[in-house]
Every structure is written in structure tokens, then in C-alpha cells.
Amino acid sequence: MSNNTEPNGRKIWAYRRPDGRIGIRNHVLILPTITCATQAAKQAAELVQGAYSFIHQHGCAQVGIDYEQTFRTYFGMGANPNVYGVVVMGLGCETHQARSVYSELKKTGKPVALVSIQDHGGTLQAIAEAAKHAARMVQEASAQMRVECNLAELIVGTECGGSDACSGLSANPVVGRFSDALIDEGGTSILAETTELIGAEHLLAERAVDDHTRKRVFQVIQAMERRAIGMGIDIRTGNPSPGNIKGGLSSLEEKSLGASAKSGTRPLQQLIDYAERPSKRGLVWMDTPGHDIEQMTGMVAGGAQLVLFTTGRGTPTGSPIAPCIKISTNTPIFEKMGDNIDFNAGTVIDGTESIAAAADRLMDEVVAVCNGKWTKSEILKQHDFGIWRIGPTF
């Protein structure tokens, strides 16, 4: 790992958190732990500039590993280093008690407050209380200065959505080349989308650093296939999607080979659960579904400060707390959806730029976003959030 704060002549400036991690944004998050509190949390956030929230359908009638995963996701969103402070908002009688999430987040050392709609006498009083806490935290956050940091402290999530026939030839290999460069500097790159790695798993298994990780590669693939079989369906009936097929993809295996290109060439260090924080640096595979918003939520809850999202069909998807750099696989979609896409890797298809040159340009874009440049999804307030449900609602 390099100790140089200017890897390859580049440097980033970020916010140092009490737990030692760095954030490239300085948000205050109003975190609803139950669907009943999402509208109140959203309204409180709208009152305070610099406060963010999200809508979801979870938090109650969940048990077992499904309950644990949702709790892990809530905690991970609040603990993400892009978040300065958290206002945890609950109803009061739900399964996922806001107090439990609040207690765990307090251990991070960042400012945390607790608001209960029932305890505070109803929605209006709870909105006012949450807004007061958020306003105080935002003012405190505004006084914090960025400090010079190492690229090795970055966790970058990688994702592809609305893939086409160019994905595996341009944008995904460019992200893979970037991933290698980040890992060489000591950083971490997360590969996700287990459903879209079916057919390419043997290639990743060959790069596993140990036998445990190698076996786990096949285990998560088989588990994902068994879920589909348990529903009486073939996973290939929904993947590739109609848009993928229209974009030129013929099979799930073809899509998977293109998607796996985002992983670059470095060894696979570990395979982690959904919304779990990596314990090793380097290339990490997170077990997620292929659903764009659910996988992005998992990676951000796992600590990713930034997401690289490749697309051949175009997508507006974003995160409430992490910038998402949209990367087009072809030049026509970049020109057509300029409101949503930040970076054009279609130059590789056009023959005007090599994969290596495009990856170097992407590194410059990542550094600029880390240092404060807003992405299109941030500008358009594309604050998407969704948790992968693995159990029924009771």
C-alpha cells in the first residue's frame, strides 16, 4: 500500500470521521427505521438544507435473517462515512426499534439523535423535533474542513444497469481497469450483482485468494439459483431483461461475462453478505441481487463512499448519501441522456480512445467527485433506496 498522499500525482480531500474513515460528502441523514416514519422523515429533511432521507417499505413484520439484514442496512447507511450525523426516526411499536439502531450508531462516535412519532405526540411534533436536531448537526457539519487523504481509504462500489452489447466491450472493462488502479493504491472495489455473474463465476473463483473464498463463490451462485427454482421459475426468464435484449444481449451468460469485467484482474479477497462492510482491502464481492437500487443500497450500507454505474440503455438511479457516477457504454446514449450520464466510455467503441486512456480519465473524474464535484444524480436529487428482502412479511 502506498503511503503517498498523491498517488500518481492525484490527491483527494475528504472529511475525517471519529472512527478514522473518510467521507467525500458531509450529509446529515434523517433515518426512518419503519415505513410508517418515512414520510415524516422526508418532510423533516425538506425543512433543513443539507439533510437527506429516503422512502422505503421495511422495518416491521420481519424476522430471522431478514430482520438482521434490514437492521444491518439501516446501521450501515447511518454509519457510512459520507454521513456527518444521524437523526434516527421511528414510530415506536415496530419490530426494528429506532432505539436499537440509535444505540449501535452511537458507537461510531458521530452525532446521533433519536425521535419517536408516538413518544413525541404525533407526526407534526416529531417532524419539528427531527428538523431541530438536523439543523443543529448541519451547522456543525458546515464548520468541518476537508483534509488531504489517500486514495487507499476509498471504497468504490461498481454496478451495471440497463446493459447492452457494448457494456462488456467499453464501460465495464474501463471500470475494471480503474478498479485495478484503485486496488494498486490500496483501495477497495466492490463487485456485486450475484444474479448477473451466473455463468462467469468460475473465472472469479480462479482469482480467489483462498479455498474458503473460492468455495463461497459457488455457494452464493447456487443459493441464488435455488431461490429462483423455489419459486418455480427459470432465472433466465427475467435476465437478461427486455431492455438488455433490445440492446443486443442474447443470454444471461453473455451478460455475466460483460458484468464481471468490472472486477478487473486483481485477486478476489473476500465474498461478503449484503450490506456488510469489507474487512479486507482490494477486490471484494458483495452478494446482492441484480436490482439496481437494492444492490446500490447494499454497497453504500457496506461503506462505499462512491458508486460507478455503467449503462448502455440509460438510467437515472442514484443514492441519498453517495455520489453515483453514470458511465455510458456508447456515445449515442451519452448524447441522448446527457441529463443523467456523467462520463462517456463509448469513445472506446468509437475507436477514439483506448480502455487504458478512458480508465485514466475516469480516475480524474473520480478524484474530482471526491473533492466536491456533484454528479448528475445528486443534482437531480435521485435519492433511491431499497433493501433486498430475503424473507416473507409476517
Side-chain angles (χ1 to χ4, degrees):
M1 183 189 309
S2 171
N3 291 318
N4 185 358
T5 55
E6 297 187 32
N8 297 323
R10 299 176 176 96
K11 60 183 178 181
I12 60 173
W13 295 81
Y15 302 98
R16 182 70 63 184
R17 300 303 179 203
D19 63 2
R21 295 187 293 164
I22 64 166
I24 62 174
R25 294 295 183 264
N26 210 25
H27 298 320
V28 169
L29 176 64
I30 302 181
L31 171 60
T33 60
I34 173 66
T35 182
C36 308
T38 56
Q39 292 296 335
K42 181 176 181 288
Q43 291 178 59
E46 289 172 348
L47 292 172
V48 181
Q49 182 175 339
Y52 296 79
S53 191
F54 48 78
I55 301 295
H56 66 84
Q57 65 182 57
H58 303 84
C60 208
Q62 292 180 274
V63 297
I65 59 173
D66 192 51
Y67 169 90
E68 294 168 4
Q69 181 165 280
T70 295
F71 186 93
R72 186 168 65 246
T73 305
Y74 288 154
F75 169 79
M77 291 294 289
N80 185 288
N82 285 349
V83 175
Y84 169 82
V86 188
V87 180
V88 182
M89 176 178 276
L91 176 61
C93 59
E94 63 271 24
T95 305
H96 282 88
Q97 283 288 302
R99 185 170 298 281
S100 299
V101 179
Y102 164 83
S103 298
E104 285 301 306
L105 286 173
K106 287 286 287 183
K107 297 175 183 178
T108 66
K110 63 176 61 179
V112 186
L114 176 65
V115 174
S116 167
I117 294 175
Q118 291 174 349
D119 291 347
H120 285 87
T123 298
L124 296 179
Q125 289 86 345
I127 290 172
E129 188 68 17
K132 288 178 183 177
H133 286 299
R136 171 179 52 79
M137 291 181 191
V138 166
Q139 187 168 48
E140 292 171 356
S142 70
Q144 187 176 10
M145 303 293 291
R146 290 179 181 260
V147 297
E148 193 173 335
C149 299
N150 197 318
L151 282 174
E153 300 184 80
L154 280 183
I155 299 177
V156 176
T158 65
E159 181 172 349
C160 50
S163 300
D164 69 348
C166 297
S167 296
L169 302 174
S170 58
N172 289 351
V174 167
V175 169
R177 189 70 175 252
F178 165 87
S179 176
D180 286 351
L182 177 66
I183 290 169
D184 290 347
E185 294 296 336
T188 301
S189 177
I190 299 179
L191 177 69
E193 305 169 282
T194 299
T195 50
E196 296 174 15
L197 294 173
I198 295 173
E201 66 270 21
H202 60 292
L203 301 176
L204 290 158
E206 289 173 358
R207 292 159 54 190
V209 295
D210 53 43
D211 192 53
H212 170 75
T213 304
R214 187 178 304 106
K215 289 179 179 178
R216 186 147 158 71
V217 166
F218 295 108
Q219 289 170 352
V220 300
I221 291 290
Q222 290 166 3
M224 191 66 77
E225 290 185 310
R226 282 197 299 270
R227 290 188 185 100
I229 293 170
M231 295 173 64
I233 62 171
D234 181 349
I235 199 167
R236 291 159 182 79
T237 60
N239 215 338
S241 69
N244 296 151
I245 294 170
K246 188 175 181 180
L249 291 174
S250 63
S251 66
L252 176 56
E253 288 78 6
E254 182 184 16
K255 184 178 182 181
S256 295
L257 290 170
S260 66
K262 300 193 304 296
S263 68
T265 63
R266 299 300 182 259
L268 178 63
Q269 297 293 332
Q270 64 178 154
L271 205 162
I272 59 177
D273 290 332
Y274 184 87
E276 181 182 357
R277 187 189 303 178
S279 61
K280 296 182 180 180
R281 293 187 180 186
L283 178 63
V284 175
W285 175 350
M286 179 181 287
D287 184 19
T288 78
H291 187 278
D292 293 342
I293 296 171
E294 291 181 0
Q295 64 177 286
M296 180 181 292
T297 298
M299 292 187 294
V300 173
Q305 301 106 323
L306 174 73
V307 176
L308 302 181
F309 191 126
T310 69
T311 181
R313 307 291 294 165
T315 173
T317 308
S319 166
I321 61 171
C324 176
I325 298 177
K326 291 290 171 44
I327 304 167
S328 66
T329 71
N330 62 82
T331 298
I333 199 65
F334 177 75
E335 294 174 343
K336 181 181 180 181
M337 294 190 66
D339 290 345
N340 302 104
I341 301 176
D342 303 276
F343 183 96
N344 182 24
T347 51
V348 174
I349 301 296
D350 298 337
T352 61
E353 192 174 30
S354 67
I355 289 173
D360 195 58
R361 183 164 57 89
L362 179 58
M363 178 65 82
D364 288 337
E365 182 70 10
V366 166
V367 169
V369 170
C370 287
N371 290 342
K373 180 181 179 180
W374 280 30
T375 62
K376 301 289 181 64
S377 61
E378 289 179 290
I379 292 168
L380 296 177
K381 300 181 181 180
Q382 193 75 36
H383 300 157
D384 299 316
F385 179 89
I387 303 175
W388 180 22
R389 286 295 291 263
I390 54 175
T393 299
F394 290 100

